[in-house]
Amino acid sequence: MFNILHVAAHSIFIITLALLLSLLFNGLERKLIARMQARIGPPIIQPFLDIKKLFIKENIVPANSIKWLFNAMPLVALASALLLFLYMPFAGMPPLLQAHGDLILVLYLFIIPPLALAIGAFASASPYASIGAQREIVLMMSYEFVLSVVVIAFAWLLSFSHAGAYAFSFDTLTAYPIWNLVDGIGKLGVALLLVSALAVFPAKVAKLPADISEAKTEIAEGVLVEYSGRNLALLLMAQAVQALAFASLIVALFFPWNISAFLALPSIFALIADFIFFLVKTFAIMFASLILVSAATARLKVDQAARIYIYYVFLLALFGLAFIGLDRLLVM
Amino acid sequence: MGLDALKRSLWVFHINTGSCNGCDIEIIAALTPRYDAERFGVKLVGSPRHADVLLVTGPVTRKMKERLIRAYEQMPEPKIVVVVGNCGSTGGVFYESYNLEGPIDKIIPVDIYVPGCPPRPEAIIHGLAKAWEKLEGMKKCKQQNL
């Protein structure tokens, strides 16, 4: 009984922290993009103001939509995005529900928010939303390949080097950082995997150059077109949370180190140091693959984006896998 | 949490009801680095469902009348209508033209008029600031049960 209460309290803490952090990162992103465009930009707390405003707005449900589906999907999107943080290492701590889920569950949970968004868009009966939802699905099918190659490479390598350990658990991934398992050409392979995972980032969170599903000037915000008020607030929060979640997934896979392992700190300071180090790592990932890229690029067409992901990025990931394999051959 | 939540976060939907594009370009100019309306939380959105402010330009041609009403009705409450330019405010040089249904306040309730042909971007931002004041007024009326 006590254990259940403890887990519940802990997960509420993690979810609140994740929500606050992701909105803060979203504000920072808007501010930095504005600075790069020589503008002053909105205050960093702007996403909080926007969300607060959306909650007092009227919540319109279109007359010929499927109402329960239309209203349920924003909740599903936000809930599954937030649930991710219970199964992933977050803020330098091991995942709370480690015994109940692994990397494969996390990958499946990552699919739910875009899927919920697409279903909600189809349910809204708007032609713009329908176009947006189709684009979302096309894009999702093209980048999921890349992510599965990345995960397969990790599991394959770990099953060779540490045959006894469970290769898909975050515990193993944290205990044996991938860079230490390979050398020479294998390190190049891991770097290629990292680049291809980073290339997926903009498509995963629908930011430029891959904001094709909600192209504002083209299909009137696409999947979001009929959402207003509270539902829109939930969807915007889900997107922000997904961005933080994907950044922390990349951190957990490629940069699982904690700073407290290198500095001998008393436990409370170690927690704080790890937390700050986690923020620095996730922000660096976001800055490199989201903020810089979306400030510098224009929107791709959906067929261009799908071609880039299916051909080039997928090929890049496959080369990474091949290099890692080659490295294993050289070791043996 | 009341109407003052709108103060630093006004999302704007822009509709052209037959304007010559002069006002529309000035609206875009208000978003450029020189004026940067986004620092006040003003954002141009692509769907009337997301909007707090309907920014209307042009003298409303016959074809656009129904569409204007429809866009207005699609916006969630609370909402504000801001007219940009002389054409929308009075009809401007097209006053009493045979093919017009406007000016805009004959069709939908208008809160703020920004005159000019075209108005400067500063004037448009000033108009949005007036929209905040109007919402604040609505809040005060609500508090005093007026």
Side-chain angles (χ1 to χ4, degrees), chain A residues 39 50 53 216 221 226, chain B residues 9 38 44 46 49 52 77:
Chain A
R39 292 188 286 128
D50 288 347
K53 177 205 72 180
K216 184 168 83 178
E221 318 238 357
E226 291 293 337
Chain B
S9 162
E38 203 193 351
L44 214 54
R49 294 268 193 241
D52 310 303
E77 293 281 349

Side-chain angles (χ1 to χ4, degrees), chain B residues 14 23-33 35 44 121 124:
Chain B
H14 165 217
C23 299
D24 310 83
I25 285 172
E26 296 303 311
I27 290 169
I28 301 300
L31 302 171
T32 52
Y35 298 101
L44 214 54
I124 297 171

Side-chain angles (χ1 to χ4, degrees), chain A residues 26 38 58 122 126 161 168 215 229 232 238 268 286-287 299 323 328:
Chain A
N26 192 355
E58 187 187 358
F122 278 130
S126 158
S161 57
F168 285 115
L232 183 61
I268 180 75
M286 274 195 178
F287 188 78
R299 187 185 312 122
F323 283 158
R328 292 304 309 173

Side-chain angles (χ1 to χ4, degrees), chain A residues 30-87:
Chain A
R30 278 178 74 175
K31 184 85 184 172
L32 281 172
I33 288 178
R35 297 301 309 177
M36 286 175 202
Q37 293 170 344
R39 292 188 286 128
I40 293 169
I44 291 171
I45 56 158
Q46 187 64 43
F48 292 95
L49 299 175
D50 288 347
I51 297 291
K52 185 178 151 199
K53 177 205 72 180
L54 284 172
F55 271 107
I56 68 157
K57 294 283 285 185
E58 187 187 358
N59 187 18
I60 299 177
V61 181
N64 46 2
S65 64
I66 306 169
K67 290 185 181 54
W68 67 272
L69 211 54
F70 182 82
N71 279 322
M73 283 308 130
L75 273 176
V76 172
L78 182 60
S80 53
L82 283 171
L83 211 56
L84 277 165
F85 288 98
L86 302 183
Y87 295 102

Side-chain angles (χ1 to χ4, degrees), chain A residues 185-240:
Chain A
I185 194 159
K187 279 203 169 50
L188 179 65
V190 176
L192 286 183
L193 288 181
L194 175 62
V195 170
S196 50
L198 289 181
V200 170
F201 205 158
K204 199 94 202 169
V205 294
K207 288 277 159 66
L208 279 169
D211 66 336
I212 308 161
S213 61
E214 46 197 67
K216 184 168 83 178
T217 44
E218 187 185 337
I219 49 169
E221 318 238 357
V223 280
L224 298 175
V225 66
E226 291 293 337
Y227 279 107
S228 60
R230 190 199 46 179
N231 282 339
L232 183 61
L234 293 177
L235 285 175
L236 293 182
M237 279 195 277
Q239 277 178 347

Side-chain angles (χ1 to χ4, degrees), chain B residues 5-124:
Chain B
L6 283 156
K7 195 174 174 185
R8 298 289 292 181
S9 162
L10 279 184
W11 288 4
V12 176
F13 181 74
H14 165 217
I15 184 166
N16 177 335
T17 62
S19 116
C20 67
N21 231 6
C23 299
D24 310 83
I25 285 172
E26 296 303 311
I27 290 169
I28 301 300
L31 302 171
T32 52
R34 188 171 181 91
Y35 298 101
D36 190 25
E38 203 193 351
R39 70 199 143 116
F40 306 118
V42 174
K43 197 170 92 168
L44 214 54
V45 292
S47 156
R49 294 268 193 241
H50 303 180
D52 310 303
V53 176
L54 188 64
L55 212 57
V56 198
T57 60
V60 194
T61 56
R62 262 189 209 154
K63 284 279 182 194
M64 277 310 285
K65 185 185 172 188
E66 274 172 50
R67 279 81 190 170
L68 177 62
I69 293 172
R70 189 155 174 208
Y72 177 75
E73 282 172 349
Q74 279 177 336
M75 285 169 64
E77 293 281 349
K79 56 190 168 190
I80 283 259
V81 177
V82 176
V83 168
V84 174
N86 281 346
C87 295
S89 310
T90 61
V93 290
F94 306 111
Y95 182 67
E96 290 197 327
S97 229
Y98 68 97
N99 54 353
L100 295 186
E101 299 275 357
I104 289 156
D105 51 9
K106 272 163 76 182
I107 298 163
I108 53 173
V110 173
D111 298 286
I112 309 289
Y113 299 89
V114 182
C117 186
R120 289 190 61 86
E122 292 98 322
I124 297 171

